[in-house]
Amino acid sequence: MSTTTMTASSRATPAGPVDPIGADLTKILRTLKLSGLRDTLPERLALARQQQLGHAAFLELLLSDEVTRRESRSATLRAAKAGLDPTMRLETWDEHPDLSYDRQLWSDLTTLRFAEAGTGVLVLGPVGVGKTHLATALGHIAIRRRMTVAFYRADKLFTRLRAARLDNTLEAEIRRITGVDVLIIDDFALRALDATQTNDFYEMVVERHRRSSTIWVSNREPSEWLGMTTDALLAQSAVDRLTSGAHTLIIEGPSYRQRERVSIDAHQEARHAH
């Protein structure tokens, strides 16, 4: 048989799976709750042959895959429980050139040194510039570091606390909310705070001051918050505490909606030009 014929014959042979996983092995993996290994085992067997891995090295590779898989699944579940949007992660952040913010500060925030030190973060800027995305991304990073996280939109948080008052569970609810390592409060001071909300704001700040990190997301400066409360003295005390030593990330630029409109207009002009 000629070399040409042999090569053609080899090409014609279907590749097929490497070391197909039999029913017995599948059953064992299921019993040990290691069914996830079935997805990567054939490729790992091929890699073991290629790199001539020893038995111990091959076993370490398989178990490392399983640890990674379980950590990823655990992080996904904990992020969902924390109320984090799964699409707002560091890797999905759109680094748009017309946004202006301190990128060095942002880089430092992603190390979570602020959380380890128990200091707060203020993420400020106009509507639609990505404040919520960045705050949520920090929450996802904290989840992967095995920190406890909770994300609330301010109005929903105050509604939750109001409901807790009605069924006499307020103390337990405050303890649960303020007990997390990283608390993210979005859209704070979007609306004026009534007397109860002003008091709850003060209590949350006092409970977490220099103990745990809170990320406050707002389109207003803290100095503006004072005029949106019913007790300026109480609010001033809270604001002084939460701004003391806090990192302030100010984002400026056009909103997503404006950028999308510009993008759509440019696309339509390009189509008409053709």
Side-chain angles (χ1 to χ4, degrees):
M1 186 183 287
S2 68
T3 306
T4 306
T5 307
M6 287 177 64
T7 306
S9 176
S10 299
R11 283 204 204 99
T13 304
V18 177
D19 291 323
I21 301 172
D24 289 344
L25 180 53
T26 297
K27 185 178 178 182
I28 291 170
L29 290 175
R30 191 182 300 120
T31 301
L32 294 174
K33 301 190 188 306
L34 293 172
S35 296
L37 287 178
R38 293 182 73 254
D39 298 332
T40 53
L41 188 53
E43 113 186 25
R44 288 315 195 190
L45 284 165
L47 182 66
R49 285 201 188 89
Q50 181 186 349
Q51 298 186 358
Q52 297 183 331
L53 295 180
H55 295 98
F58 178 59
L59 180 60
E60 183 180 349
L61 185 63
L62 288 183
L63 295 181
S64 294
D65 283 346
E66 182 61 20
V67 167
T68 300
R69 196 163 21 248
R70 290 189 182 190
E71 286 182 346
S72 177
R73 187 165 56 241
S74 171
T76 299
L77 292 172
R78 286 182 289 114
K81 185 179 178 183
L84 299 176
D85 187 325
T87 68
M88 294 185 178
R89 309 173 73 92
L90 186 60
E91 53 270 27
T92 59
W93 168 244
D94 181 12
E95 184 63 38
H96 212 275
D98 59 4
L99 286 180
S100 171
Y101 61 96
D102 188 336
R103 284 163 171 78
Q104 184 173 346
L105 172 58
W106 169 244
S107 179
D108 186 64
L109 290 175
T110 61
T111 67
L112 295 192
R113 278 195 285 262
F114 73 90
E116 291 163 5
T119 53
V121 176
L122 297 169
V123 184
L124 309 174
V127 173
V129 292
K131 302 184 300 297
T132 301
H133 191 133
L134 293 185
T136 304
L138 292 177
H140 281 294
I141 296 170
I143 286 286
R144 291 197 290 269
R145 300 273 188 88
R146 291 279 172 181
M147 293 180 175
T148 53
V149 178
F151 177 101
Y152 295 101
R153 214 174 68 194
D155 59 343
K156 292 189 179 297
L157 175 58
F158 288 130
T159 299
R160 188 184 187 112
L161 292 174
R162 192 181 299 278
R165 273 187 174 82
L166 296 176
D167 59 15
N168 296 316
T169 59
L170 180 64
E171 189 176 332
E173 189 68 15
I174 287 280
R175 202 163 47 240
R176 192 185 63 75
I177 291 168
T178 59
V180 297
D181 297 323
V182 178
L183 175 63
I184 304 169
I185 301 180
D186 191 29
D187 281 343
F188 184 74
L190 201 59
R191 301 186 183 94
L193 276 62
D194 62 25
T196 303
Q197 292 168 340
T198 298
N199 186 70
D200 288 342
F201 166 51
Y202 173 79
E203 289 297 333
M204 281 189 292
V205 171
V206 170
E207 283 296 319
R208 294 182 62 80
H209 184 53
R210 292 182 180 170
R211 294 177 192 160
S212 307
S213 295
T214 306
I215 302 173
W216 300 85
V217 183
S218 180
N219 58 2
R220 303 179 194 272
E221 296 277 344
S223 57
E224 298 178 73
W225 299 354
L226 304 179
M228 302 188 69
T229 64
T230 57
D231 189 327
L233 191 61
L234 209 62
Q236 183 69 66
S237 178
V239 168
D240 284 349
R241 281 182 170 91
L242 74 85
T243 56
S244 175
H247 304 278
T248 302
L249 183 69
I250 300 173
I251 310 170
E252 297 175 313
S255 74
Y256 282 133
R257 286 179 289 278
Q258 288 175 312
R259 292 205 297 272
E260 286 169 0
R261 190 179 303 119
V262 169
S263 176
I264 291 169
D265 290 345
H267 179 65
Q268 289 175 341
E269 285 179 15
R271 283 178 58 192
H272 291 319
H274 291 296

PDB file of all heavy atoms in Angstrom, residues 21 29 35 49 81 89 94 100 108 113 119 135 138 149 184 186 200 208 211 220 241 252 255 264:
ATOM      1  N   ILE A  21     -16.037   6.732  28.012  1.00  0.00           N
ATOM      2  CA  ILE A  21     -16.344   6.406  29.400  1.00  0.00           C
ATOM      3  C   ILE A  21     -17.475   5.390  29.430  1.00  0.00           C
ATOM      4  O   ILE A  21     -18.574   5.638  28.934  1.00  0.00           O
ATOM      5  CB  ILE A  21     -16.742   7.681  30.175  1.00  0.00           C
ATOM      6  CG1 ILE A  21     -15.592   8.692  30.110  1.00  0.00           C
ATOM      7  CG2 ILE A  21     -17.094   7.370  31.618  1.00  0.00           C
ATOM      8  CD1 ILE A  21     -15.927  10.040  30.667  1.00  0.00           C
ATOM      9  N   LEU A  29     -18.695   7.402  39.099  1.00  0.00           N
ATOM     10  CA  LEU A  29     -18.583   8.865  39.193  1.00  0.00           C
ATOM     11  C   LEU A  29     -19.861   9.463  39.773  1.00  0.00           C
ATOM     12  O   LEU A  29     -19.815  10.386  40.596  1.00  0.00           O
ATOM     13  CB  LEU A  29     -18.308   9.469  37.817  1.00  0.00           C
ATOM     14  CG  LEU A  29     -16.922   9.192  37.217  1.00  0.00           C
ATOM     15  CD1 LEU A  29     -16.831   9.748  35.801  1.00  0.00           C
ATOM     16  CD2 LEU A  29     -15.822   9.798  38.084  1.00  0.00           C
ATOM     17  N   SER A  35     -19.863  13.411  38.722  1.00  0.00           N
ATOM     18  CA  SER A  35     -20.331  13.290  37.336  1.00  0.00           C
ATOM     19  C   SER A  35     -19.762  14.372  36.424  1.00  0.00           C
ATOM     20  O   SER A  35     -19.639  14.178  35.215  1.00  0.00           O
ATOM     21  CB  SER A  35     -21.865  13.347  37.292  1.00  0.00           C
ATOM     22  OG  SER A  35     -22.415  12.242  37.982  1.00  0.00           O
ATOM     23  N   ARG A  49      -1.477  11.294  28.251  1.00  0.00           N
ATOM     24  CA  ARG A  49      -0.626  10.531  27.332  1.00  0.00           C
ATOM     25  C   ARG A  49       0.408  11.438  26.666  1.00  0.00           C
ATOM     26  O   ARG A  49       1.573  11.097  26.553  1.00  0.00           O
ATOM     27  CB  ARG A  49      -1.488   9.871  26.252  1.00  0.00           C
ATOM     28  CG  ARG A  49      -2.253   8.670  26.728  1.00  0.00           C
ATOM     29  CD  ARG A  49      -2.661   7.793  25.542  1.00  0.00           C
ATOM     30  NE  ARG A  49      -3.557   6.744  25.991  1.00  0.00           N
ATOM     31  CZ  ARG A  49      -4.877   6.877  26.044  1.00  0.00           C
ATOM     32  NH1 ARG A  49      -5.439   8.006  25.668  1.00  0.00           N
ATOM     33  NH2 ARG A  49      -5.630   5.880  26.471  1.00  0.00           N
ATOM     34  N   LYS A  81     -27.782  34.356  45.659  1.00  0.00           N
ATOM     35  CA  LYS A  81     -28.363  34.582  46.984  1.00  0.00           C
ATOM     36  C   LYS A  81     -28.089  36.005  47.464  1.00  0.00           C
ATOM     37  O   LYS A  81     -28.911  36.615  48.157  1.00  0.00           O
ATOM     38  CB  LYS A  81     -27.781  33.572  47.982  1.00  0.00           C
ATOM     39  CG  LYS A  81     -28.410  33.642  49.360  1.00  0.00           C
ATOM     40  CD  LYS A  81     -27.821  32.612  50.300  1.00  0.00           C
ATOM     41  CE  LYS A  81     -28.427  32.732  51.692  1.00  0.00           C
ATOM     42  NZ  LYS A  81     -27.805  31.767  52.644  1.00  0.00           N
ATOM     43  N   ARG A  89     -20.205  41.721  35.769  1.00  0.00           N
ATOM     44  CA  ARG A  89     -18.948  41.233  36.325  1.00  0.00           C
ATOM     45  C   ARG A  89     -17.798  42.086  35.795  1.00  0.00           C
ATOM     46  O   ARG A  89     -17.973  42.857  34.847  1.00  0.00           O
ATOM     47  CB  ARG A  89     -18.751  39.764  35.957  1.00  0.00           C
ATOM     48  CG  ARG A  89     -19.944  38.874  36.272  1.00  0.00           C
ATOM     49  CD  ARG A  89     -19.763  37.475  35.735  1.00  0.00           C
ATOM     50  NE  ARG A  89     -18.786  36.744  36.522  1.00  0.00           N
ATOM     51  CZ  ARG A  89     -19.091  35.984  37.568  1.00  0.00           C
ATOM     52  NH1 ARG A  89     -20.343  35.854  37.952  1.00  0.00           N
ATOM     53  NH2 ARG A  89     -18.164  35.342  38.227  1.00  0.00           N
ATOM     54  N   ASP A  94     -17.755  47.281  30.107  1.00  0.00           N
ATOM     55  CA  ASP A  94     -17.440  47.913  28.827  1.00  0.00           C
ATOM     56  C   ASP A  94     -16.607  49.160  29.083  1.00  0.00           C
ATOM     57  O   ASP A  94     -17.126  50.196  29.493  1.00  0.00           O
ATOM     58  CB  ASP A  94     -18.746  48.273  28.095  1.00  0.00           C
ATOM     59  CG  ASP A  94     -18.484  48.909  26.734  1.00  0.00           C
ATOM     60  OD1 ASP A  94     -17.328  48.860  26.267  1.00  0.00           O
ATOM     61  OD2 ASP A  94     -19.431  49.471  26.150  1.00  0.00           O
ATOM     62  N   SER A 100     -15.097  58.916  32.146  1.00  0.00           N
ATOM     63  CA  SER A 100     -13.968  59.460  32.893  1.00  0.00           C
ATOM     64  C   SER A 100     -14.071  59.055  34.356  1.00  0.00           C
ATOM     65  O   SER A 100     -15.085  59.310  35.013  1.00  0.00           O
ATOM     66  CB  SER A 100     -13.974  60.997  32.781  1.00  0.00           C
ATOM     67  OG  SER A 100     -13.025  61.557  33.660  1.00  0.00           O
ATOM     68  N   ASP A 108      -7.264  49.497  42.305  1.00  0.00           N
ATOM     69  CA  ASP A 108      -6.993  49.217  43.714  1.00  0.00           C
ATOM     70  C   ASP A 108      -8.234  48.638  44.400  1.00  0.00           C
ATOM     71  O   ASP A 108      -8.126  47.719  45.228  1.00  0.00           O
ATOM     72  CB  ASP A 108      -6.551  50.491  44.429  1.00  0.00           C
ATOM     73  CG  ASP A 108      -6.131  50.218  45.862  1.00  0.00           C
ATOM     74  OD1 ASP A 108      -5.140  49.481  46.065  1.00  0.00           O
ATOM     75  OD2 ASP A 108      -6.796  50.720  46.795  1.00  0.00           O
ATOM     76  N   ARG A 113      -8.792  45.463  49.056  1.00  0.00           N
ATOM     77  CA  ARG A 113      -8.099  45.892  50.275  1.00  0.00           C
ATOM     78  C   ARG A 113      -9.033  46.713  51.163  1.00  0.00           C
ATOM     79  O   ARG A 113      -8.939  46.678  52.386  1.00  0.00           O
ATOM     80  CB  ARG A 113      -6.845  46.706  49.919  1.00  0.00           C
ATOM     81  CG  ARG A 113      -5.639  45.846  49.574  1.00  0.00           C
ATOM     82  CD  ARG A 113      -4.363  46.669  49.593  1.00  0.00           C
ATOM     83  NE  ARG A 113      -4.263  47.517  48.418  1.00  0.00           N
ATOM     84  CZ  ARG A 113      -3.559  47.209  47.328  1.00  0.00           C
ATOM     85  NH1 ARG A 113      -2.897  46.064  47.278  1.00  0.00           N
ATOM     86  NH2 ARG A 113      -3.501  48.029  46.303  1.00  0.00           N
ATOM     87  N   THR A 119     -13.267  49.531  55.336  1.00  0.00           N
ATOM     88  CA  THR A 119     -13.606  50.894  54.927  1.00  0.00           C
ATOM     89  C   THR A 119     -14.645  50.863  53.807  1.00  0.00           C
ATOM     90  O   THR A 119     -14.790  49.872  53.094  1.00  0.00           O
ATOM     91  CB  THR A 119     -12.358  51.659  54.442  1.00  0.00           C
ATOM     92  OG1 THR A 119     -11.692  50.890  53.429  1.00  0.00           O
ATOM     93  CG2 THR A 119     -11.385  51.893  55.579  1.00  0.00           C
ATOM     94  N   ALA A 135     -20.069  48.470  41.005  1.00  0.00           N
ATOM     95  CA  ALA A 135     -20.327  48.051  42.385  1.00  0.00           C
ATOM     96  C   ALA A 135     -20.647  46.558  42.447  1.00  0.00           C
ATOM     97  O   ALA A 135     -20.148  45.835  43.321  1.00  0.00           O
ATOM     98  CB  ALA A 135     -21.484  48.858  42.968  1.00  0.00           C
ATOM     99  N   LEU A 138     -17.553  44.395  42.035  1.00  0.00           N
ATOM    100  CA  LEU A 138     -16.809  44.250  43.296  1.00  0.00           C
ATOM    101  C   LEU A 138     -17.464  43.179  44.171  1.00  0.00           C
ATOM    102  O   LEU A 138     -16.771  42.409  44.848  1.00  0.00           O
ATOM    103  CB  LEU A 138     -16.762  45.585  44.034  1.00  0.00           C
ATOM    104  CG  LEU A 138     -15.929  46.698  43.390  1.00  0.00           C
ATOM    105  CD1 LEU A 138     -16.045  47.994  44.196  1.00  0.00           C
ATOM    106  CD2 LEU A 138     -14.449  46.285  43.281  1.00  0.00           C
ATOM    107  N   VAL A 149     -21.776  38.674  50.985  1.00  0.00           N
ATOM    108  CA  VAL A 149     -22.167  39.878  50.245  1.00  0.00           C
ATOM    109  C   VAL A 149     -23.683  39.983  50.201  1.00  0.00           C
ATOM    110  O   VAL A 149     -24.382  38.969  50.149  1.00  0.00           O
ATOM    111  CB  VAL A 149     -21.611  39.825  48.792  1.00  0.00           C
ATOM    112  CG1 VAL A 149     -22.041  41.047  47.996  1.00  0.00           C
ATOM    113  CG2 VAL A 149     -20.092  39.691  48.787  1.00  0.00           C
ATOM    114  N   ILE A 184     -23.827  46.228  49.556  1.00  0.00           N
ATOM    115  CA  ILE A 184     -23.926  47.159  48.426  1.00  0.00           C
ATOM    116  C   ILE A 184     -25.325  47.759  48.426  1.00  0.00           C
ATOM    117  O   ILE A 184     -26.322  47.028  48.350  1.00  0.00           O
ATOM    118  CB  ILE A 184     -23.658  46.448  47.080  1.00  0.00           C
ATOM    119  CG1 ILE A 184     -22.294  45.753  47.114  1.00  0.00           C
ATOM    120  CG2 ILE A 184     -23.720  47.445  45.925  1.00  0.00           C
ATOM    121  CD1 ILE A 184     -22.057  44.816  45.933  1.00  0.00           C
ATOM    122  N   ASP A 186     -27.605  50.280  46.325  1.00  0.00           N
ATOM    123  CA  ASP A 186     -27.688  50.933  45.014  1.00  0.00           C
ATOM    124  C   ASP A 186     -28.792  51.992  45.004  1.00  0.00           C
ATOM    125  O   ASP A 186     -29.773  51.891  45.732  1.00  0.00           O
ATOM    126  CB  ASP A 186     -27.978  49.869  43.951  1.00  0.00           C
ATOM    127  CG  ASP A 186     -27.823  50.392  42.538  1.00  0.00           C
ATOM    128  OD1 ASP A 186     -27.015  51.317  42.326  1.00  0.00           O
ATOM    129  OD2 ASP A 186     -28.508  49.866  41.639  1.00  0.00           O
ATOM    130  N   ASP A 200     -33.259  54.447  59.888  1.00  0.00           N
ATOM    131  CA  ASP A 200     -32.672  53.180  59.435  1.00  0.00           C
ATOM    132  C   ASP A 200     -31.310  53.416  58.777  1.00  0.00           C
ATOM    133  O   ASP A 200     -30.373  52.626  58.963  1.00  0.00           O
ATOM    134  CB  ASP A 200     -33.604  52.482  58.446  1.00  0.00           C
ATOM    135  CG  ASP A 200     -34.840  51.899  59.122  1.00  0.00           C
ATOM    136  OD1 ASP A 200     -34.810  51.727  60.357  1.00  0.00           O
ATOM    137  OD2 ASP A 200     -35.828  51.624  58.420  1.00  0.00           O
ATOM    138  N   ARG A 208     -22.150  49.387  61.009  1.00  0.00           N
ATOM    139  CA  ARG A 208     -21.085  48.884  60.139  1.00  0.00           C
ATOM    140  C   ARG A 208     -19.816  49.736  60.184  1.00  0.00           C
ATOM    141  O   ARG A 208     -18.798  49.355  59.606  1.00  0.00           O
ATOM    142  CB  ARG A 208     -21.599  48.797  58.697  1.00  0.00           C
ATOM    143  CG  ARG A 208     -22.689  47.773  58.523  1.00  0.00           C
ATOM    144  CD  ARG A 208     -23.158  47.652  57.089  1.00  0.00           C
ATOM    145  NE  ARG A 208     -22.095  47.215  56.199  1.00  0.00           N
ATOM    146  CZ  ARG A 208     -21.691  45.957  56.067  1.00  0.00           C
ATOM    147  NH1 ARG A 208     -22.238  44.995  56.796  1.00  0.00           N
ATOM    148  NH2 ARG A 208     -20.724  45.644  55.225  1.00  0.00           N
ATOM    149  N   ARG A 211     -16.216  48.398  60.867  1.00  0.00           N
ATOM    150  CA  ARG A 211     -16.294  46.956  61.088  1.00  0.00           C
ATOM    151  C   ARG A 211     -16.370  46.214  59.757  1.00  0.00           C
ATOM    152  O   ARG A 211     -15.708  45.201  59.573  1.00  0.00           O
ATOM    153  CB  ARG A 211     -17.541  46.610  61.913  1.00  0.00           C
ATOM    154  CG  ARG A 211     -17.518  47.142  63.336  1.00  0.00           C
ATOM    155  CD  ARG A 211     -18.815  46.809  64.048  1.00  0.00           C
ATOM    156  NE  ARG A 211     -18.931  47.536  65.298  1.00  0.00           N
ATOM    157  CZ  ARG A 211     -20.067  47.743  65.944  1.00  0.00           C
ATOM    158  NH1 ARG A 211     -21.202  47.278  65.432  1.00  0.00           N
ATOM    159  NH2 ARG A 211     -20.094  48.405  67.073  1.00  0.00           N
ATOM    160  N   ARG A 220     -26.022  61.339  43.604  1.00  0.00           N
ATOM    161  CA  ARG A 220     -25.894  62.584  44.368  1.00  0.00           C
ATOM    162  C   ARG A 220     -24.680  62.520  45.292  1.00  0.00           C
ATOM    163  O   ARG A 220     -24.334  61.463  45.805  1.00  0.00           O
ATOM    164  CB  ARG A 220     -27.145  62.839  45.219  1.00  0.00           C
ATOM    165  CG  ARG A 220     -28.448  62.901  44.439  1.00  0.00           C
ATOM    166  CD  ARG A 220     -29.612  63.141  45.392  1.00  0.00           C
ATOM    167  NE  ARG A 220     -30.890  62.895  44.763  1.00  0.00           N
ATOM    168  CZ  ARG A 220     -31.587  63.793  44.090  1.00  0.00           C
ATOM    169  NH1 ARG A 220     -31.102  65.023  43.943  1.00  0.00           N
ATOM    170  NH2 ARG A 220     -32.762  63.479  43.552  1.00  0.00           N
ATOM    171  N   ARG A 241     -19.600  59.630  59.373  1.00  0.00           N
ATOM    172  CA  ARG A 241     -19.039  58.304  59.608  1.00  0.00           C
ATOM    173  C   ARG A 241     -18.740  57.582  58.291  1.00  0.00           C
ATOM    174  O   ARG A 241     -17.655  57.035  58.116  1.00  0.00           O
ATOM    175  CB  ARG A 241     -20.006  57.456  60.441  1.00  0.00           C
ATOM    176  CG  ARG A 241     -19.988  57.745  61.927  1.00  0.00           C
ATOM    177  CD  ARG A 241     -20.949  56.803  62.645  1.00  0.00           C
ATOM    178  NE  ARG A 241     -20.811  56.873  64.092  1.00  0.00           N
ATOM    179  CZ  ARG A 241     -21.498  57.686  64.870  1.00  0.00           C
ATOM    180  NH1 ARG A 241     -22.366  58.532  64.324  1.00  0.00           N
ATOM    181  NH2 ARG A 241     -21.328  57.687  66.180  1.00  0.00           N
ATOM    182  N   GLU A 252     -17.904  59.885  35.298  1.00  0.00           N
ATOM    183  CA  GLU A 252     -18.540  60.926  34.506  1.00  0.00           C
ATOM    184  C   GLU A 252     -18.554  60.535  33.034  1.00  0.00           C
ATOM    185  O   GLU A 252     -17.638  59.847  32.569  1.00  0.00           O
ATOM    186  CB  GLU A 252     -17.816  62.264  34.684  1.00  0.00           C
ATOM    187  CG  GLU A 252     -17.878  62.784  36.112  1.00  0.00           C
ATOM    188  CD  GLU A 252     -17.068  64.045  36.323  1.00  0.00           C
ATOM    189  OE1 GLU A 252     -15.903  64.085  35.884  1.00  0.00           O
ATOM    190  OE2 GLU A 252     -17.613  64.991  36.917  1.00  0.00           O
ATOM    191  N   SER A 255     -24.621  58.665  29.356  1.00  0.00           N
ATOM    192  CA  SER A 255     -25.253  57.438  29.832  1.00  0.00           C
ATOM    193  C   SER A 255     -25.195  56.364  28.757  1.00  0.00           C
ATOM    194  O   SER A 255     -24.963  56.637  27.583  1.00  0.00           O
ATOM    195  CB  SER A 255     -26.718  57.710  30.213  1.00  0.00           C
ATOM    196  OG  SER A 255     -27.497  57.873  29.041  1.00  0.00           O
ATOM    197  N   ILE A 264     -26.464  53.610  17.329  1.00  0.00           N
ATOM    198  CA  ILE A 264     -27.532  53.278  16.381  1.00  0.00           C
ATOM    199  C   ILE A 264     -27.565  54.289  15.239  1.00  0.00           C
ATOM    200  O   ILE A 264     -27.671  53.935  14.063  1.00  0.00           O
ATOM    201  CB  ILE A 264     -28.897  53.232  17.105  1.00  0.00           C
ATOM    202  CG1 ILE A 264     -28.950  52.024  18.045  1.00  0.00           C
ATOM    203  CG2 ILE A 264     -30.042  53.176  16.102  1.00  0.00           C
ATOM    204  CD1 ILE A 264     -30.123  52.023  18.987  1.00  0.00           C
TER     205      ILE A 264
END
